[in-house]
């Protein structure tokens, strides 16, 4: 009897310890927002204060052939992004020029969306408890999809190209986050991330 | 789940066998819960105390005082780092980070038991083995992981209280000292354990 009680207590202990408290991960979608910046340490930003920027943000679709016209993101979002970039560039001491030949650097913002799908299979049901009476059946499957948005801001040096024709990118800012179609804070998340990209790039200061 | 069932079945078989006091030739199996404190490089990465640890320990009493055995455990250290910037060379990354380090020590132990016939039997031991660990960094939607094996040394101290000849309660402290490799920093932590001991 004592051994049986011990066994039950032992099993209870295992269940508590193993199935207990595994840490939870992300609670809010904005916790997945990510800002990455990088720069060319050989380039001196000071003295290159004139900059130009397009009036729309290109949408990278990945299916355009050379010569096809670019696709742009919605004008409202383009304006939001570009105005925020301009505001940050002004704070850093840069001067916006409309004549591209007067620009020392040019900022090219672009955006893309990527949808990911994750599949979960629960093999607990694979054989079932009823085998061989009910036979086996397929594992329970669920699918989750989420879409991320990425904003790229490339600052290229005007008039500088490599021998192979590549532009000289002096600074890159990348913002990535999960798009929340149901939340109302998308704009503030975006502007906060743009601000952060410039804040953490103090070397841009004139 | 299958692994858990196998462990449970194996322990049921063991528990169901006739009991014998702790003495030469006896076997001790314990299931221990661990609370662990990171040290050194591991502490630089995760400072939060780990309350998620479990350990299965087997000991064979070679004589009344000397034991040899093996242990297999698992600990999970984790910590959420709030929205902050991290710079490496020219790149700066800002975001919320989730840091995880899971360790799985597989250690061969030898030790000495003081007063084995008493209800309170202190012991001291040392173990050599490997410390498998997985370091994971989650930031944004991205996940970076690295797995490594390290050689490890583990001194320990503890006491087993035996309210019944075949059952004991263990309290112990273990110091896991992994040695760094070319690809990984040293994993070091102290674990405090409480567990149930079955003596056969």
């Amino acid at each position: 009897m004592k051994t049986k009680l011990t066994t039950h207590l032992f099993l209870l202990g295992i269940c508590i310890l193993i199935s207990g408290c595994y840490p939870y991960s992300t609670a809010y979608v904005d916790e997945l927002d990510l800002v990455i910046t990088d720069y060319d340490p050989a380039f001196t930003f000071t003295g290159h204060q004139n900059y130009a920027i397009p009036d729309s943000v290109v949408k990278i679709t990945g299916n355009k052939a050379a010569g096809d016209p670019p696709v742009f993101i919605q004008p409202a979002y383009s304006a939001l992004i570009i105005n925020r970039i301009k505001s940050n560039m002004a704070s850093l001491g840069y001067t916006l020029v409309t004549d591209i030949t007067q620009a020392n650097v040019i900022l090219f913002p672009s955006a893309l969306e990527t949808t990911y799908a994750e599949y979960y299979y629960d093999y607990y049901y694979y054989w079932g408890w009823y085998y061989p009476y009910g036979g086996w059946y397929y594992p329970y499957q669920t699918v989750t999809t989420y879409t991320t948005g990425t904003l790229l801001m490339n600052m290229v040096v005007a008039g500088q190209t490599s021998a192979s024709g590549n532009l000289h990118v002096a600074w890159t800012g990348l913002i990535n986050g999960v798009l929340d179609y149901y939340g109302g804070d998308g704009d503030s998340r975006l502007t906060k991330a743009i601000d952060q990209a410039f804040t953490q790039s103090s070397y841009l200061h004139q | 789940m299958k692994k858990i069932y196998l462990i449970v079945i194996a322990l049921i078989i063991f528990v169901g066998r006739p009991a014998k006091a702790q003495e030469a030739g006896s076997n001790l199996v314990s299931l221990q819960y661990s609370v662990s404190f990171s040290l050194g490089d591991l502490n630089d990465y995760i400072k939060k105390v780990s309350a998620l640890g479990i350990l299965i320990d087997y000991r064979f009493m070679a004589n009344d005082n000397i034991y040899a055995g093996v242990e297999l455990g698992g600990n999970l250290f984790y910590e959420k780092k709030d929205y902050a910037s991290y710079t490496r060379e020219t790149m700066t990354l800002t975001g919320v980070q989730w840091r995880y380090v899971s360790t799985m020590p597989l250690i061969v132990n030898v030790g000495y038991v003081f007063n084995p016939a008493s209800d309170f039997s202190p012991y001291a031991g040392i173990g050599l083995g490997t410390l498998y660990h997985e370091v994971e960094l989650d930031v944004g939607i991205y996940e970076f992981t690295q797995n490594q094996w390290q050689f490890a040394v583990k001194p320990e101290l503890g006491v087993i209280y035996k309210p019944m000849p075949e059952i004991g309660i263990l309290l112990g402290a273990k110091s896991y000292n992994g040695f760094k490799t070319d690809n990984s920093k040293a994993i070091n932590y102290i674990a405090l354990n409480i567990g149930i001991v079955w003596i056969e």
Side-chain angles (χ1 to χ4, degrees):
Chain A
M1 183 66 191
K2 190 160 60 180
T3 301
K4 190 175 279 187
L5 177 63
T6 307
T7 305
H8 289 157
L9 287 173
F10 184 77
L11 293 176
L12 178 64
I14 284 186
C15 291
I16 291 170
L17 289 171
I18 293 177
S19 67
C21 37
Y22 199 82
Y24 288 98
S25 191
T26 313
Y28 302 102
V29 70
D30 62 348
E31 291 184 332
L32 296 173
D33 290 349
L34 184 63
V35 179
I36 300 173
T37 55
D38 202 356
Y39 69 100
D40 175 7
F43 181 73
T44 304
F45 292 92
T46 307
H48 295 85
Q49 72 272 20
N50 289 345
Y51 82 101
I53 188 170
D55 57 6
S56 296
V57 177
V58 171
K59 183 175 183 179
I60 300 171
T61 58
N63 58 359
K64 292 289 178 187
D68 286 350
V71 176
F72 300 100
I73 67 172
Q74 293 177 28
Y77 283 111
S78 271
L80 179 75
I81 290 166
I82 287 171
N83 288 336
R84 204 67 183 188
I85 292 173
K86 287 178 179 176
S87 168
N88 278 280
M89 289 294 280
S91 298
L92 289 168
Y94 286 82
T95 303
L96 178 65
V97 295
T98 51
D99 181 359
I100 199 166
T101 61
Q102 300 299 312
N104 304 120
V105 292
I106 307 167
L107 262 165
F108 287 111
S110 55
L112 69 153
E113 282 185 12
T114 309
T115 298
Y116 297 88
E118 291 186 352
Y119 299 87
Y120 300 93
Y121 296 94
D122 191 342
Y123 285 97
Y124 183 82
Y125 296 102
Y126 190 79
W127 292 106
W129 289 106
Y130 307 108
Y131 183 82
Y133 308 107
W136 58 272
Y137 42 97
Y138 288 102
Y140 177 66
Q141 175 186 322
T142 57
V143 181
T144 297
T145 63
Y146 59 97
T147 301
T148 66
T150 302
L151 173 66
L152 273 166
M153 299 174 288
N154 283 320
M155 181 187 287
V156 303
V157 183
Q160 286 189 12
T161 53
S162 66
S164 57
N166 291 326
L167 299 170
H168 177 188
V169 179
W171 176 80
T172 294
L174 183 150
I175 293 163
N176 178 264
V178 173
L179 298 179
D180 180 9
Y181 298 108
Y182 307 104
D185 62 345
D187 291 359
S188 64
R189 284 172 55 205
L190 180 59
T191 53
K192 177 187 171 189
I194 292 171
D195 292 348
Q196 178 58 40
F198 287 96
T199 300
Q200 70 188 39
S201 306
S202 56
Y203 43 81
L204 292 175
H205 213 289
Q206 290 296 311
Chain B
M1 283 303 283
K2 188 182 285 183
K3 288 179 184 173
I4 295 171
Y5 292 143
L6 289 175
I7 292 169
V8 171
I9 290 167
L11 290 170
I12 288 171
I13 292 168
F14 180 82
V15 169
R17 297 174 70 176
K20 190 164 71 171
Q22 183 179 6
E23 59 190 15
S26 62
N27 298 286
L28 289 79
V29 170
S30 64
L31 180 69
Q32 302 171 29
Y33 167 71
S34 304
V35 174
S36 300
F37 302 84
S38 59
L39 301 171
D41 291 332
L42 178 58
N43 184 259
D44 290 342
Y45 188 62
I46 295 176
K47 290 188 165 42
K48 189 176 174 184
V49 174
S50 163
L52 294 174
I54 191 168
L55 176 76
I56 293 177
D57 182 286
Y58 166 75
R59 297 176 185 182
F60 170 73
M61 297 302 298
N63 60 38
D64 284 351
N65 296 101
I66 304 291
Y67 69 84
V70 63
E71 67 173 68
L72 175 65
N75 287 84
L76 177 65
F77 295 86
Y78 75 98
E79 188 167 20
K80 178 184 175 184
K81 296 284 186 182
D82 288 336
Y83 193 80
S85 297
Y86 303 87
T87 299
R88 186 173 182 176
E89 297 177 353
T90 59
M91 181 180 288
T92 300
L93 181 151
T94 302
V96 177
Q97 293 188 9
W98 288 264
R99 298 179 176 187
Y100 302 90
V101 175
S102 53
T103 66
M104 191 178 77
L106 178 58
I107 307 278
V108 176
N109 297 309
V110 292
Y112 187 88
V113 178
F114 303 90
N115 303 323
S118 165
D119 285 351
F120 286 93
S121 300
Y123 64 88
I126 189 160
L128 296 175
T130 63
L131 194 58
Y132 173 79
H133 65 277
E134 181 177 287
V135 179
E136 179 176 324
L137 170 64
D138 292 358
V139 57
I141 63 166
Y142 304 100
E143 176 184 301
F144 307 91
T145 59
Q146 184 184 39
N147 308 316
Q148 282 289 319
W149 293 86
Q150 285 182 356
F151 177 70
V153 177
K154 184 221 64 181
E156 67 176 313
L157 291 170
V159 62
I160 297 176
Y161 168 61
K162 290 165 281 187
M164 291 180 280
E166 76 277 17
I167 295 290
I169 296 170
L170 179 147
L171 288 171
K174 302 166 185 278
S175 175
Y176 293 94
N177 301 282
F179 290 83
K180 69 177 181 181
T181 68
D182 291 341
N183 300 318
S184 67
K185 295 181 177 177
I187 299 292
N188 295 303
Y189 60 96
I190 289 176
L192 303 180
N193 302 298
I194 184 168
I196 303 173
V197 186
W198 285 265
I199 304 167
E200 185 215 25

